[in-house]
Amino acid sequence: MPPLTRRAIVFAAAATALAQKYVPKQSDRPEMASGDEPGFVPLFDGKTLAGWEGDPKYWRVENGILVGEITPETVIKSNTFIVWRGGQPKDFELKVDYRITPAGNSGINYRSAVIPDPVRPDHKFAMRGYQCDIDGRNVYTGQNYEE
């Protein structure tokens, strides 16, 4: 057998042996948070808006779900948010399940501040800060930008 061929066989055998020694396991990779891990603190109790402040015209709890809804009768002139007032999160991991209508446009602001609304001076739920976008067409969902 020519020396080059023998080297190729030795290399292939060594590569096979290495591949057999190390088999990646799911535990070797970062895992998505699930359930109520130690230290996980839910911000929504599934029953009330305790700790939250928002215009009840748009925000409510329904069947264990925090619902934000704009109807033809309640169309907004500027963005409105529900604001967590139940504490000041430090480092955090946000876990959320969401549903949105096909034409919906929403997002989750974080590390944001309530600001005066120049369009509606009486409106106290305008914000500026980072937003994770969510849209029904799934064009911008997951995009992070400054609101």
Side-chain angles (χ1 to χ4, degrees), residues 109-146:
N109 277 47
Y110 57 97
R111 304 269 191 242
S112 297
V114 175
I115 59 169
D117 186 342
V119 177
R120 299 184 299 159
D122 61 327
H123 176 60
K124 57 182 182 174
F125 304 109
M127 299 192 86
R128 180 182 65 223
Y130 299 117
Q131 176 169 310
C132 177
D133 211 30
I134 300 170
D135 72 291
R137 293 180 305 162
N138 214 21
V139 173
Y140 302 108
T141 299
Q143 172 182 314
N144 291 291
Y145 68 96
E146 188 167 353

Side-chain angles (χ1 to χ4, degrees), residues 4-5 16 22 31 35-36 40-41 49-50 55 57 59 74 77 81 84 90 95 105 114 123 126-127 138 141 146:
L4 185 56
T5 306
T16 303
Y22 178 74
E31 294 181 19
D36 294 330
F40 182 80
V41 178
L49 293 178
D55 188 332
K57 185 188 313 182
W59 300 98
T74 64
K77 295 179 183 173
F81 296 91
W84 171 249
K90 294 179 182 167
K95 293 191 307 181
N105 178 22
V114 175
H123 176 60
M127 299 192 86
N138 214 21
T141 299
E146 188 167 353

Side-chain angles (χ1 to χ4, degrees), residues 64-113:
I65 299 170
L66 176 59
V67 177
E69 182 178 41
I70 298 171
T71 66
E73 297 78 35
T74 64
V75 172
I76 59 175
K77 295 179 183 173
S78 59
N79 284 349
T80 186
F81 296 91
I82 190 165
V83 181
W84 171 249
R85 303 272 193 205
Q88 184 66 39
K90 294 179 182 167
D91 291 335
F92 63 90
E93 180 175 327
L94 178 66
K95 293 191 307 181
V96 61
D97 290 320
Y98 67 89
R99 290 182 242 169
I100 190 165
T101 59
N105 178 22
S106 192
I108 298 170
N109 277 47
Y110 57 97
R111 304 269 191 242
S112 297

Side-chain angles (χ1 to χ4, degrees), residues 33-56:
S34 62
D36 294 330
E37 296 85 15
F40 182 80
V41 178
L43 299 181
F44 175 59
D45 65 14
K47 300 173 189 163
T48 69
L49 293 178
W52 294 90
E53 185 181 10
D55 188 332

